[in-house]
Amino acid sequence: GENVEQHPSTLSVQEGDSAVIKCTYSDSASNYFPWYKQELGKGPQLIIDIRSNVGEKKDQRIAVTLNKTAKHFSLHITETQPEDSAVYFCAANGNNRLAFGKGNQVVVIP
Amino acid sequence: NAGVTQTPKFRVLKTGQSMTLLCAQDMNHEYMYWYRQDPGMGLRLIHYSVGEGTTAKGEVPDGYNVSRLKKQNFLLGLESAAPSQTSVYFCASSYSVGLYNEQFFGPGTRLTVL
């Protein structure tokens, strides 16, 4: 089955700087790559996703890039704000379900 | 719309006790999922359902059973709870039976087994 890995596990950034989280996946048949944000005490919530027919997608301060050849995709957050502090999960699809990475704790330092 | 709701929010069990976690969704979604979340382990799929009356095993199904008698409900059962089942449990649902499955998560149930 699909295996998704995330790096780094914890990321601290100064407010206003950019944050980048990288994920790798194993199944070349995967074609849907969502990113979820989980705030403390809540369930994960989809923030952006990308399909394999595009290489980049942007939504305001958030962007995701996909490199199918290398089988990795990344989440980019620009102009970070305190409310961006959360755990971020990447995922990849396969067999009608999603395989999640282990998550990255992002801490934005005011 | 309430989205995905989970009952209860918290529960403490003794080893060997049984319980059922209830998940309900009001979005008419076909797919429903149960995950457990442990520190440093991310989200691991326990069981899932692709439609009313169907269930399938995920990554970590041992010690759990599920039922999907109604499309809007997905129940997770622990017949004989063990301390290793202490975790936060999330239910999710998705609308698509195709390849692009945005999943909507519930708020979670924190379970402690003593």
Side-chain angles (χ1 to χ4, degrees):
Chain A
E2 176 64 273
N3 182 45
V4 177
E5 295 191 1
Q6 282 185 251
H7 304 280
S9 58
T10 303
L11 179 62
S12 296
V13 295
Q14 291 289 336
E15 182 178 353
D17 288 349
S18 296
V20 180
I21 305 170
K22 298 179 181 179
C23 285
T24 59
Y25 63 98
S26 61
D27 188 351
S28 57
S30 294
N31 56 10
Y32 174 63
F33 307 93
W35 284 90
Y36 285 81
K37 176 183 180 181
Q38 185 179 26
E39 297 177 348
L40 193 62
K42 297 183 178 179
Q45 186 172 14
L46 179 73
I47 55 171
I48 196 168
D49 56 16
I50 191 168
R51 302 181 183 183
S52 60
N53 56 345
V54 298
E56 183 176 3
K57 183 177 178 180
K58 289 183 180 180
D59 183 3
Q60 299 182 341
R61 296 187 297 108
I62 294 173
V64 56
T65 57
L66 171 64
N67 183 327
K68 287 197 68 181
T69 303
K71 289 193 278 189
H72 68 71
F73 56 113
S74 299
L75 177 71
H76 304 254
I77 307 173
T78 59
E79 301 173 16
T80 52
Q81 299 170 6
E83 54 264 36
D84 295 328
S85 294
V87 177
Y88 292 82
F89 291 96
C90 62
N93 69 331
N95 295 327
N96 287 320
R97 46 187 156 144
L98 292 175
F100 286 87
K102 294 184 178 180
N104 293 99
Q105 175 78 54
V106 173
V107 178
V108 179
I109 304 167
Chain B
N1 287 349
V4 179
T5 57
Q6 293 183 231
T7 308
K9 288 185 169 51
F10 303 93
R11 186 73 185 267
V12 178
L13 291 179
K14 294 181 179 179
T15 297
Q17 288 185 318
S18 63
M19 77 163 294
T20 300
L21 282 68
L22 171 64
C23 176
Q25 53 94 3
D26 61 1
M27 296 173 282
N28 201 34
H29 286 173
E30 290 291 336
Y31 281 32
M32 297 188 75
Y33 312 82
W34 275 108
Y35 294 91
R36 59 177 290 172
Q37 184 176 33
D38 303 293
M41 298 297 292
L43 292 159
R44 292 186 291 170
L45 184 64
I46 304 172
H47 287 280
Y48 65 102
S49 168
V50 302
E52 182 178 321
T54 73
T55 62
K57 294 180 180 180
E59 301 175 62
V60 289
D62 294 343
Y64 304 95
N65 57 75
V66 288
S67 64
R68 183 99 182 268
L69 298 180
K70 293 182 179 181
K71 186 176 183 179
Q72 64 268 33
N73 295 337
F74 195 29
L75 279 62
L76 178 70
L78 287 73
E79 291 185 349
S80 179
S84 60
Q85 293 177 305
T86 293
S87 188
V88 180
Y89 292 86
F90 288 99
C91 176
S93 69
S94 63
Y95 57 86
S96 174
V97 296
L99 296 173
Y100 310 123
N101 298 325
E102 176 183 355
Q103 294 189 15
F104 295 81
F105 283 81
T109 295
R110 184 173 294 276
L111 175 65
T112 301
V113 183
L114 303 175

